Amino acid sequence: MFKLIISVFAFLLLSACSAQYPNQQVKGEQFPSISGESLEKQNVSIPNDFKSAKTLLLLGYKQDSQFDIDRWLIGLDMAGVSIPTYELPIIAGMAPRMFSTFIDNGMRKGIPKELWGGVITIYKDGDAVQKFTGNESPNNSRVVLINSSGEILYFYDRGFSVDALNKLKENIK
C-alpha cells in the first residue's frame, strides 16, 4: 500500500510540472505580482514587500536547480555582493499545493533555520512565473535583479558563470 501511495504522489508531482514555456528575455519588464510564504511561515508579496533599491531573486523550478542557486550564492559571497537576496522555489501545479506542508518541511530540514526568511516558496502563482520567464532548461536558476518598483534590471537563465556574475555586479552598482 505504501508503494502505491508513493507512486501516486510521484505521478502527481511529475504531471504537475508538464507545462513547457519557451524562455523569455524579461529585462526591462515589470516582475509579476505574486505571493508566497517564507520557510519562517511569513506571507510575502513580491515585489511589493521589497523596498530596497535593488533586490536579487534566485528562482528555481526543480529541486535540481538548487545546485545552480548554490553556485550563485557562493559566487555572490566570494564577490562581496551584499544586497537583499531571496531564493524562490517556484512550484507549479495543483498536486504540489496539496503537499505544500510536506514539501516545505522537507526544505526546512535541509536549510539552516537562520536562512529560512530568505527562502520564499511560490505555489499558487508558480505557473504564472514559469510562463513569464520560460522554463526550458529547468535545472538552471533564473537570476532576477529588481528595483524597488519591481522593474527587472537584470535577468539571466543559462546557469552560473563568472561572466554572468560580473555582469550582474555591474547592474548592481
Side-chain angles (χ1 to χ4, degrees):
M1 183 65 167
F2 181 71
K3 285 184 180 182
L4 176 62
I5 292 170
I6 294 297
S7 296
V8 169
F9 178 69
F11 172 76
L12 288 172
L13 285 177
L14 291 173
S15 64
C17 302
S18 60
Q20 295 293 308
Y21 302 110
N23 286 352
Q24 304 293 318
Q25 185 45 254
V26 295
K27 181 179 176 184
E29 294 188 33
Q30 182 70 27
F31 193 82
S33 292
I34 62 173
S35 61
E37 184 178 274
S38 74
L39 292 182
E40 290 180 331
K41 299 185 180 185
Q42 300 296 314
N43 291 323
V44 181
S45 178
I46 303 165
N48 297 342
D49 288 346
F50 299 148
K51 302 302 180 198
S52 296
K54 295 179 180 173
T55 301
L56 186 62
L57 309 174
L58 302 173
L59 285 57
Y61 295 152
K62 290 178 60 180
Q63 183 176 358
D64 289 343
S65 60
Q66 187 63 52
F67 178 74
D68 193 43
I69 289 171
D70 289 343
R71 290 189 302 169
W72 276 99
L73 291 171
I74 291 167
L76 291 164
D77 184 58
M78 297 298 290
V81 174
S82 61
I83 63 169
T85 301
Y86 297 88
E87 291 183 54
L88 276 61
I90 309 287
I91 305 170
M94 179 65 81
R97 272 190 265 167
M98 294 182 333
F99 297 99
S100 62
T101 301
F102 176 78
I103 294 169
D104 288 345
N105 285 338
M107 283 191 278
R108 285 184 191 98
K109 288 179 184 176
I111 298 171
K113 191 171 187 170
E114 60 271 16
L115 301 178
W116 288 2
V119 179
I120 304 164
T121 311
I122 310 300
Y123 290 101
K124 183 180 68 128
D125 299 317
D127 193 61
V129 175
Q130 289 191 24
K131 188 174 186 178
F132 177 72
T133 66
N135 61 7
E136 296 172 341
S137 302
N139 290 343
N140 295 346
S141 61
R142 275 48 180 174
V143 179
V144 183
L145 179 68
I146 60 172
N147 64 17
S148 59
S149 63
E151 178 188 355
I152 298 172
L153 306 174
Y154 177 85
F155 178 79
Y156 188 78
D157 64 356
R158 292 180 288 157
F160 176 80
S161 75
V162 173
D163 183 55
L165 174 61
N166 289 331
K167 288 178 181 166
L168 172 62
K169 286 175 47 180
E170 289 173 15
N171 282 274
I172 291 173
K173 291 181 183 178

